Amino acid sequence: MGNSALKAHLETAQKTGVFQLTGKGLAEFPEDLQKLTSNLRTIDLSNNKIELLPPLIGKFSFLKSLVLNNNKLTALPEELCKLKKLETLHLNGNHLRQLPAAFGQLSALKSLSLSGNQLRTVPTQLCGLRHLDVVDLSKNQIQNVPDTVGELQAIELNLNQNQISQISVQISHCPRLKVLRLEENCLELSMLPQSILSDSQISLLAVEGNLFEIKKLRELEGYDKYMERFTATKKKFA
């Protein structure tokens, strides 16, 4: 892509606060964007070939949305964690194995999407994020859900298409969790904590495609309590 085309995009971004450049085969984060650190509210560089996010990302202090789906990122810089206004972070289809240690400092984060990466566990850093609504960790390599998950503030947690065979009973203590997606994992029915049914806020539990028949779920103690929540929620949205 020529300089003049980039220049035109930068001029538009300066006026609109949105820089969107997708599917252009970019191999790196456009350095010229640093001229707009105080203008930009949204950056979308999806469907490129970006391998590194430079430390200068930390300077975009007004950024609300950062979307880098389908790139080649293997790690994220600690500087990303300085973005105190960031509400949306979508990094689907990259090669991320972990999140920066300071990730819990992204205090405004509402929507986090990391589908199709190489995470092996549910990152503990997510538990400090008070405004998190939706967390998508589907299509990773997660094998178990640890005790720390009980502190997760999310309303929806998507763990579809992982390799999960163990889930901490602490998941029933998540204060706001309403939707839990666990489709296509490696769960035996005995490994699904019954407290999810009897003693949690969860009103939609999606567990198709595991190592048990769905009808067996209905025989578990607490299933009727879960169905009460499920039905009440359905009515609310009907």
Side-chain angles (χ1 to χ4, degrees):
M1 194 184 75
N3 273 344
S4 55
L6 182 59
K7 204 170 166 208
H9 276 279
L10 288 168
E11 281 170 14
T12 308
Q14 193 163 4
K15 294 180 190 121
T16 61
V18 177
F19 185 82
Q20 187 176 29
L21 199 57
T22 59
K24 294 286 189 243
L26 291 181
E28 49 192 51
F29 186 89
E31 290 271 309
D32 286 346
L33 279 186
Q34 55 189 327
K35 297 169 188 162
L36 300 177
T37 47
S38 55
N39 300 67
L40 290 185
R41 303 293 185 270
T42 299
I43 295 176
D44 184 353
L45 294 166
S46 296
N47 303 310
N48 282 295
K49 294 175 181 171
I50 298 168
E51 291 178 26
L52 278 178
L53 201 50
L56 70 90
I57 192 67
K59 294 179 178 167
F60 292 88
S61 43
F62 297 97
L63 201 63
K64 282 191 165 185
S65 173
L66 178 60
V67 182
L68 288 157
N69 295 332
N70 305 316
N71 276 281
K72 297 188 170 185
L73 298 170
T74 52
L76 300 171
E78 287 289 337
E79 286 80 2
L80 176 71
C81 308
K82 294 178 181 169
L83 301 178
K84 295 287 185 256
K85 288 190 167 28
L86 196 67
E87 294 176 8
T88 302
L89 179 59
H90 289 182
L91 299 162
N92 300 329
N94 281 282
H95 308 294
L96 299 169
R97 290 168 186 268
Q98 58 191 34
L99 297 179
F103 197 83
Q105 293 174 11
L106 290 171
S107 50
L109 203 60
K110 289 180 183 174
S111 173
L112 175 64
S113 206
L114 291 161
S115 180
N117 279 279
Q118 293 169 20
L119 298 173
R120 292 183 176 271
T121 182
V122 176
T124 52
Q125 297 96 312
L126 304 186
C127 296
L129 298 169
R130 295 276 167 254
H131 299 287
L132 210 48
D133 290 333
V134 181
V135 180
D136 186 352
L137 301 174
S138 61
K139 300 181 187 169
N140 277 280
Q141 296 161 18
I142 299 169
Q143 293 175 6
N144 67 349
V145 180
D147 287 348
T148 46
V149 76
E151 294 166 41
L152 189 69
Q153 301 286 324
I155 295 168
E156 176 170 342
L157 176 59
N158 186 342
L159 292 165
N160 288 348
Q161 292 176 287
N162 277 283
Q163 298 154 21
I164 297 167
S165 59
Q166 282 183 309
I167 298 179
S168 166
V169 67
Q170 297 296 328
I171 199 160
S172 351
H173 298 162
C174 291
R176 298 168 71 216
L177 192 61
K178 298 277 195 289
V179 178
L180 178 58
R181 301 186 188 279
L182 287 162
E183 294 180 11
E184 295 178 51
N185 277 285
C186 309
L187 282 168
E188 303 273 359
L189 191 56
S190 60
M191 287 296 171
L192 192 70
Q194 293 201 6
S195 54
I196 289 178
L197 299 172
S198 60
D199 194 27
S200 77
Q201 304 283 323
I202 294 166
S203 56
L204 177 62
L205 176 65
V207 287
E208 285 78 8
N210 279 281
L211 307 178
F212 59 87
E213 293 177 45
I214 290 296
K215 63 172 189 257
K216 295 278 187 213
L217 183 68
R218 298 178 192 135
E219 293 163 18
L220 288 185
E221 202 176 326
Y223 188 77
D224 50 344
K225 278 191 166 175
Y226 161 68
M227 280 313 290
E228 281 171 23
R229 295 192 303 272
F230 177 81
T231 312
T233 307
K234 279 227 128 136
K235 280 186 184 144
K236 207 165 85 178
F237 291 111

